């Protein structure tokens, strides 16, 4: 494989990621767990915002596939950046949940749900 073919391969991979995001945005129900285990309700992604993120990703893939010879590469990158930012703003509640609420340490409401407070004393039986 020659070094000049690397942007084409990377463009194809980015286009596949964009198409996957677009498919997820257009799916009717999405993937949900069989039984909800969370204490708070899940944030629902904004479908239009997800579509804009997918279109921005596809614009970036088009700029990669066009390489240096395509005359619309700069416009494609600028449009893709704008679409990605607008889509991320529309999905800010979903992104906040995905990026910030991870793991058991952040599931509770402060000290009352801490595992340190739930430690049994020496004579207490655990049921």
């Amino acid at each position: 494989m020659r070094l000049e073919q690397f942007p084409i391969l990377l463009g194809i991979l980015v286009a596949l990621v964009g198409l996957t995001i677009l498919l997820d945005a257009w799916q009717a129900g999405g993937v949900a767990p069989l039984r909800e285990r969370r204490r708070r309700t899940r944030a629902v992604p904004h479908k239009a915002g997800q579509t804009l993120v997918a279109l921005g990703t596809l614009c970036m893939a088009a700029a990669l596939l066009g390489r240096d010879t395509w005359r619309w590469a700069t416009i494609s990158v600028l449009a893709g950046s704008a679409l990605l930012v607008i889509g991320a703003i529309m999905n800010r509640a979903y992104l906040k949940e995905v990026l910030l609420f991870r793991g058991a340490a952040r599931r509770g409401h402060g000290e009352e749900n801490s595992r340190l407070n739930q430690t049994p004393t020496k004579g207490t039986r655990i049921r």
Side-chain angles (χ1 to χ4, degrees):
M1 183 169 109
R2 293 175 32 189
L3 190 61
E4 293 87 16
Q5 294 172 340
F6 182 71
I8 295 173
L9 182 64
L10 187 62
I12 290 171
L13 290 175
V14 171
L16 287 175
V17 168
L19 289 174
T20 305
I21 295 171
L22 193 63
L23 175 70
D24 185 44
W26 288 353
Q27 264 185 341
V31 178
L34 298 175
R35 187 176 66 92
E36 186 62 51
R37 299 179 319 216
R38 292 184 175 198
R39 292 184 185 140
R40 67 171 65 103
T41 60
R42 292 180 188 263
V44 179
H46 196 273
K47 295 298 179 184
Q50 233 179 344
T51 304
L52 289 177
V53 168
L55 292 175
T57 307
L58 289 173
C59 285
M60 296 294 184
L64 282 169
L65 288 171
R67 299 189 300 185
D68 293 337
T69 58
W70 191 40
R71 97 190 278 180
W72 302 102
T74 304
I75 293 174
S76 178
V77 168
L78 291 175
S81 299
L83 289 171
L84 284 171
V85 168
I86 293 169
I89 289 171
M90 291 173 79
N91 275 318
R92 67 184 171 270
Y94 178 73
L95 290 173
K96 179 181 175 185
E97 178 183 318
V98 168
L99 296 175
L100 297 180
F101 299 121
R102 304 294 298 171
R106 295 187 182 107
R107 286 186 185 153
H109 297 292
E111 292 297 319
E112 63 196 36
N113 291 327
S114 173
R115 288 186 180 189
L116 296 174
N117 294 338
Q118 296 174 1
T119 305
T121 58
K122 190 168 185 167
T124 308
R125 294 182 65 192
I126 300 173
R127 297 180 205 181

